[in-house]
Amino acid sequence: MQSSSERHEYPAHWEADVVLRDGGTARIRPITVDDAERLVSFYEQVSDESKYYRFFAPYPRLSAKDVHRFTHHDFVDRVGLAATIGGEFIATVRYDRIGADGLPASAPADEAEVAFLVQDAHQGRGVASALLEHIAAVARERGIRRFAAEVLPANSKMIKVFTDAGYTQKRSFEDGVVRLEFDLEPTDRSLAVQRAREQRAEARSVRRLLAPGSIAVVGTGRAPGGVGRSVLGNIREAGFTGSLYAVNRALPEGIKELDGVPAYRSVRDIDGPVDLAVVAVPAEYVPEVVTECGEHGVQGLVVISAGYAESGPDGRDRQRALVRHARAYGMRIIGPNAFGIINTSPDVRLNASLAPEMPRPGRIGLFAQSGAIGIALLSRLHRRGGGVTGVTGVSTFVSSGNRADVSGNDVLQYWYDDPDTDVVLMYLESIGNPRKFTRLARRTAAAKPLVVVQGARHGGAAPQGHAVRATRLPHATVSELLRQAGVIRVDTITELVDAGLLLARQPLPAGPRVAILGNSESLGLLTYDACLSEGLRPHPPLDLTTGASAEDFQAALSRALADDTCDSVVVTAIPAIGEASVGDAALAEALRSAAAAAPSKPVLVVHVELGGLAEALSAAASTAPQASSSGPSVAAGRGWVARPGADRVPPPEGGPPAPTLPHSRLLPHARLRSRGGTPIALGIPPGPSGTGGGTTARGWAGTGHIPAYPAAERAVRALAEAVKYAQWRRDAAEPGKVPEYEDIDEKGAAELIGGLLARGQGLTLGTEETCELLGKYGISVHRALPAPTRDAAAAAARTLGYPVALKATAPHLRHRADLGGVRLDLADEEQLRRAYTELTELFGTPEGLRPVVQRMAPRGVDTVVRTVIDPAAGAVLSFGLAGAASQLLGDTAHRLIPVTDREATSLIRSIRTAPLLFGWRGSTPVDTPALEELLLRVSRLVDDHPEVVAVTLEPVVVAPHGLSVLGASVRLAPPPARDDLGPRTLPVY
């Protein structure tokens, strides 16, 4: 694209893709001289009323002078942006810098007039709001701090765009015109408005993909088999409620159907609308398909096709071109190289994936970047969510493949307020925008549990096909930051399912106190030990003996649930032998009945080789016929009936009949055997609306199903995660504050930083500069005077006053007291000179040692405070005790900046060696409030000045009264670009 710039080159960084209010996309870019014809065509499609609102008079067409003015910009004082779909304008916005007299001006004038024009067909889609965010960001970049707009009173839509934006504004009425003036500095309200709009738009964009009214599968082979034909069959057999079409460019003339589905040679040939296209053609043919879909008005694509970024650099270029191509038509993409999507809602019944079987309906949202892991998760949920541990299924499933467009962030936006999803399970191999993910995760976790397992965490690089910004933080640090945001972090997909099933079926525990009861003393002790290992507080196990009856279990469970000193109960059960042994169904009913009487406390079962019990725990809540060894085997609740020939899925109430499914289509893991040996297919007890997986007003709490686990360690680990998450929820309900300190000189620090950075792009500050900068935030550093000779050391000691410390500051000895490079409590000059001689004899010349003299600080606990700005995660504050042992064990805690007072308190208590700060083994507790204040001041410094890219305070000696910062270093640099601020944009991976 040519540039018409008179003073600046074409600002390509202003180009952006955005999601509009209805979930569609548009591209925003600067207007140039090449856009004259597009501008004229755009204006011709605007109604006379909209033109009148724009120019305050009838204005049927643009003159040549108008076209020149609106397409020639200097990108400084005159800027125009256009929103485009399919390369054509749908809206424009421009600003012109003005002076105090209202006439055109140049810098330093900091005010501009702004005006919009939106095609009538696209009004109400949030186009003007998105354009306002982008033009405001451009204006701030060019030194403009305030916008003015004149609007006719009847133009209520445009007035609302300005007033709803959240900026600080003034409003006046003169000469029949409403004049609005507003500052462009972002406010808390403007950021809240922007993020709320972002959530609604991105959620709707995903909803359009997961709940389409019509689908075209492009690439359905003429012969059975193949990816496209398989996906077509999966959609059809799932009972999709909308219109379904097959597309095959090589379809012979006269063929109108494939597998009973209307077939066409091109998407263009389909008479009705197509909301979603599933693309399963070779990569070289995908661009043609995208063009056809875009011209037909398709809203979104699921690209199953491979051959993109996972195949190397050429494939990555092909993938980026695919995203640009699709977004140009307003379409979003899942994939490429995707496994597909599933929506079990009875209103949709969509299985546009390679999964041969539709999972049970339920309350779990499932996201997987890997198709293989997606298969494993669906299989495990199918197996354990049915006859094994009670009925729990999937609401929606998304496998994003290469995640070129739609990512886990987008799906989180959808699940946040999705009424059909109560628990979110995510398998991630990379996080494209960690700052945004952390923000969304914190908000989602406050409403519903979010469980995450991260793959490829030790590989040092993202998997092929995932273009992400690299992080320099260790995986343990990333995990801790996710936990800080409320994410339940687990290490395996087994733990992911274990935690998900508990959270989907049981209420959150009120605390860590656990009652244990069962008919095996050994299994009870194993459970007790597992609780202690996970940081829980178990009661001594109650052994009911192997002769316990169902009534004994029910009575014991009822007593435990009624005990105010118990927050949750783990029931352990082993097979009993003999005629008097308790039956599986009777035991399951007894446990369920007792748990139902106290629905506020979670109950878990640890069972050993009790397939019948686990099955009965599911069936106990169902009114469906139970399986028997004679006659057809019926799964608990609504489900498949195992009989010779075929299995038929009963239709939901009021819905069309579902198709007949051959036995071969059942997942292999979906078969159990009854006690009589008859195969049992898994089923679903109906919910309140007949959809299965019933819920309560709280959604995921108290569903009436008791999760069962084959090992005590797995059950207890899932319970421990629920306990920690519940505590996070309670803490999040009362968030802390970032305190203000009157002695902080933010302006003075900014001036100092600006002057220092003028020397170069990045620098580590000297001792005096470090002390000066930290001093502006109330952080005092003990002076350390250089001692290049014995006489210089003696002079420094006289200046500081005895007792003093003599330290070697060479890189290999710095902060390594264990190596002998430090001499403490030197009371006089004689001791100082003797220590100086010892150091030089042990380690070499003073030039290599770099010795310094420092006045002794009050004795206490040596700690370390650090900050770093990671390009992916953002600013991170770290804390730990000083010394090799803490470093070797990795005993360091982390928090995202800015840190609140509550977070500072939890930070110092979250390291394993924290007892040393609080009087361990009779020692004197140290001044932790002073330490918390230091952490908050350092956090404020880095948050106020992102140019401070690294701070290290080591050691910080925390005494019983006060603390001393004995060493400090600060590094300045231009801050890394942040992709979580500024106007809404879609990322480019």
Side-chain angles (χ1 to χ4, degrees), residues 142-164:
R142 296 309 193 203
I144 293 172
R145 297 290 174 261
R146 187 170 53 260
F147 271 165
E150 294 186 344
V151 187
L152 290 175
N155 193 359
S156 57
K157 291 181 180 179
M158 188 53 60
I159 293 175
K160 185 174 176 61
V161 168
F162 291 121
T163 57
D164 287 354

Side-chain angles (χ1 to χ4, degrees), residues 619-667:
S622 171
T623 59
Q626 301 302 302
S628 68
S629 58
S630 62
S633 298
V634 183
R638 185 172 71 85
W640 294 296
V641 180
R643 61 167 63 94
D647 295 333
R648 180 172 295 276
V649 180
E653 185 175 347
T660 297
L661 304 178
H663 276 302
S664 61
R665 302 290 295 176
L666 288 172
L667 289 175

Side-chain angles (χ1 to χ4, degrees), residues 608-972:
V608 178
E609 298 297 333
L610 284 183
L613 173 59
E615 177 188 328
L617 284 171
S618 172
S622 171
T623 59
Q626 301 302 302
S628 68
S629 58
S630 62
S633 298
V634 183
R638 185 172 71 85
W640 294 296
V641 180
R643 61 167 63 94
D647 295 333
R648 180 172 295 276
V649 180
E653 185 175 347
T660 297
L661 304 178
H663 276 302
S664 61
R665 302 290 295 176
L666 288 172
L667 289 175
H669 295 301
R671 293 188 176 275
L672 299 172
R673 291 194 176 269
S674 72
R675 300 177 70 184
T678 306
I680 299 177
L682 305 183
I684 308 152
S689 60
T691 61
T695 185
T696 66
R698 284 190 62 197
W700 42 269
T703 63
H705 298 305
I706 301 175
Y709 299 85
E713 296 79 5
R714 287 172 56 179
V716 171
R717 191 172 298 120
L719 178 60
E721 294 295 349
V723 168
K724 287 183 281 189
Y725 170 67
Q727 184 60 51
W728 182 89
R729 284 279 294 265
R730 290 189 288 270
D731 292 342
E734 299 179 7
K737 300 179 180 179
V738 177
E740 297 288 339
Y741 296 106
E742 294 182 356
D743 59 342
I744 286 180
D745 183 5
E746 182 178 347
K747 182 178 179 181
E751 293 174 351
L752 176 60
I753 291 170
L756 293 170
L757 278 178
R759 303 178 188 175
Q761 289 297 303
L763 70 157
T764 299
L765 301 188
T767 301
E768 295 300 323
E769 296 161 337
T770 296
C771 293
E772 182 181 1
L773 178 58
L774 293 175
K776 293 187 179 299
Y777 272 73
I779 302 169
S780 176
V781 181
H782 272 228
R783 294 177 64 192
L785 300 180
T789 67
R790 291 178 182 81
D791 292 338
R798 287 193 294 272
T799 301
L800 297 173
Y802 288 99
V804 297
L806 179 66
K807 302 179 180 180
T809 62
H812 65 291
L813 296 173
R814 189 176 181 85
H815 307 310
R816 291 298 308 275
D818 55 307
L819 296 180
V822 178
R823 296 293 186 271
L824 303 176
D825 287 317
L826 304 176
D828 53 36
E829 184 172 331
E830 180 182 352
Q831 292 183 13
L832 174 62
R833 289 181 179 274
R834 187 184 310 120
Y836 199 102
T837 301
E838 291 174 357
L839 286 182
T840 54
E841 289 177 350
L842 283 173
F843 298 108
T845 65
E847 291 77 8
L849 288 178
R850 304 180 191 175
V852 298
V853 175
Q854 195 169 42
R855 182 176 175 80
M856 283 296 297
R859 291 298 183 94
V861 178
D862 289 3
T863 65
V864 182
V865 177
R866 288 191 177 92
T867 70
V868 65
I869 295 184
D870 184 77
V876 179
L877 175 68
S878 303
F879 169 77
L881 297 193
S886 292
Q887 294 178 19
L888 184 64
L889 296 174
D891 190 19
T892 304
H894 313 274
R895 295 293 184 272
L896 289 173
I897 291 174
V899 171
T900 67
D901 50 1
R902 292 176 65 98
E903 290 171 337
T905 299
S906 68
L907 179 60
I908 65 175
R909 288 163 173 78
S910 57
I911 57 175
R912 284 171 286 173
T913 46
L916 293 173
L917 301 169
F918 296 95
W920 187 65
R921 288 192 172 182
S923 61
T924 304
V926 300
D927 193 349
T928 52
L931 180 57
E932 292 170 12
E933 180 177 331
L934 175 68
L935 294 170
L936 291 167
R937 288 179 180 273
V938 173
S939 171
R940 277 287 309 274
L941 170 65
V942 176
D943 189 47
D944 291 344
H945 308 283
E947 301 88 353
V948 180
V949 296
V951 175
T952 299
L953 306 182
E954 183 181 8
V956 177
V957 181
V958 190
H961 301 286
L963 56 79
S964 304
V965 180
L966 302 186
S969 66
V970 175
R971 179 167 177 78
L972 303 181

